[in-house]
Amino acid sequence: ISEILNHDSPANQGALKVLHVPAEARDADRGEERISREMKAMATAEHPSLIRILDVDDDAKWFVSEYHPNGTLADHRDTFKGDLVACLRAFKPLVEGVTALHATGIVHRDIKPENVFVGANGGLVLGDFGLVFFDDDRHTRLSGTIENVGSRDWMPAWAMGMRVQEVRPSFDVFCLGKVLWSMLSARPVLPLWYFEDEQFNVVSMFPESPLMEMANELFRLCTVEREQQCLKDANELLREVISLLRIVETGADLVGTAKKRLCQACGEGHYDMVVDRSHTQAGNFGIRAASKRTFKIFACDHCGHVQLFAFKSSDHPPPAWEEKQPPPRGRT
C-alpha cells in the first residue's frame, strides 16, 4: 500500500507525450499521423524490451508511456565497454523485442542508443516509435514519399533517399548492429559500416580480448554496405546472437591458422602452430596418426600448453576449419 501511495516512485510515474496544437506545429497533419501511429505501434507489439503505454487519449492526441529515470544507453556509454558477454546478455532481449515488432509488420527505423532506455533492473527497453513504418498492403507511412527514413548516423547507407515503402526489417538489423558496436566500444558513433577500419575496430581497441574477432563476425552479418549482405530481419539476428552468446559463455575460442589465440592455460602466451596436418611433423612431435587422420597442433609460446585438432583426412577438414569467403566489401 505504501508503494501505491508513493507518487515519487518511478514505478508510479509515466512519460507524457502530447501533440503540438496545430497553430504551433510545423506540420500539423503529419504530426497528428505520427503520434497516432506511435500509439498504435506501441499497443500492437508487446514485449518487456518494448516501452509500454500506460494511458492514452486518442481525441486529445496524448499518451503516457513508462518512465525510465535511469536514462538511455547514450547516458551509460561505458557500462558494457570491452565486455562482449555482458553486451550480448543485455542485447539479446532488445533483439527479441525488435523481433516482436517485425512479426507484426512494424519496422522501427530509429533504433539508436538515445532511444534505448535503461530499465530499473538494468534491462534495455526500446522506445520512441515516432518513425515506425507499417509494412502492410496499403504501405501506410509516416514520412514523406522520398527522404532519409531514419537517423543519419545510425541508418544504413543503402536507405539514403529510399522510398518509405521500400524500407524492410533489414533496416533495423543494421541499426541494431551499430548499437551493439557502440555498447562494446563505448564510443558514440560508428561511421557508416566501417567497423573494420583500424580506428573503429574492436579488435584493435581491446587487443587482449580473444572475443573481439567473434564480435566482428557478427558485425559482418548486419553492419554492412549493401542490403543483400545483411540479415533480413531481427529473428535472423536473434539466432546469431543466441549462437554467439552460447559460444562465449562456455569460454570457447575462434579457431583458425591465422588467428592470434590467447593461451587458455597461462593466459599470457599465444598459440603457435607446430604441426600442420603433416605425418612427418606429427611424428617429430611424438604423435603417430593412424590411417589418413592428420592433425593441427598448437603450442603456447609462454608455457608450452598444447592444443590438438584432428582431421579425418587432409581433404576433409571439420566445419570450423573450412575456408569461408567473406562477402565482397568496399566503400565504392
Side-chain angles (χ1 to χ4, degrees), residues 180-181 184-185 195-207 209 211-213 215-216 219:
L180 180 63
W181 178 89
L184 189 57
S185 67
F195 69 89
E196 289 189 281
D197 282 15
E198 184 71 16
Q199 58 184 319
F200 306 118
N201 196 326
V202 292
V203 174
S204 301
M205 294 179 202
F206 309 103
S209 173
L211 302 180
M212 293 305 158
E213 181 55 41
N216 277 350
F219 296 143

Side-chain angles (χ1 to χ4, degrees), residues 56-73:
V56 60
D57 188 322
D58 291 323
D59 295 328
K61 300 302 177 186
W62 60 259
F63 67 85
V64 177
S65 66
E66 291 176 311
Y67 172 57
H68 295 289
N70 292 332
T72 69
L73 268 179

Side-chain angles (χ1 to χ4, degrees), residues 158-171:
W158 72 72
M160 296 291 181
M162 177 180 281
R163 293 178 181 271
V164 177
Q165 292 91 331
E166 298 171 350
V167 172
R168 287 171 285 273
S170 55
F171 186 108

Side-chain angles (χ1 to χ4, degrees), residues 10 48-49 51 66-80 90 94 112-127 179 183:
S49 293
I51 201 163
E66 291 176 311
Y67 172 57
H68 295 289
N70 292 332
T72 69
L73 268 179
D75 302 316
H76 300 272
R77 211 173 298 282
D78 292 334
T79 300
F80 304 100
L94 182 64
K112 56 186 178 182
E114 290 81 0
N115 288 342
V116 178
F117 296 98
V118 178
N121 62 354
L124 304 182
V125 180
L126 178 62
V179 168
M183 292 169 64

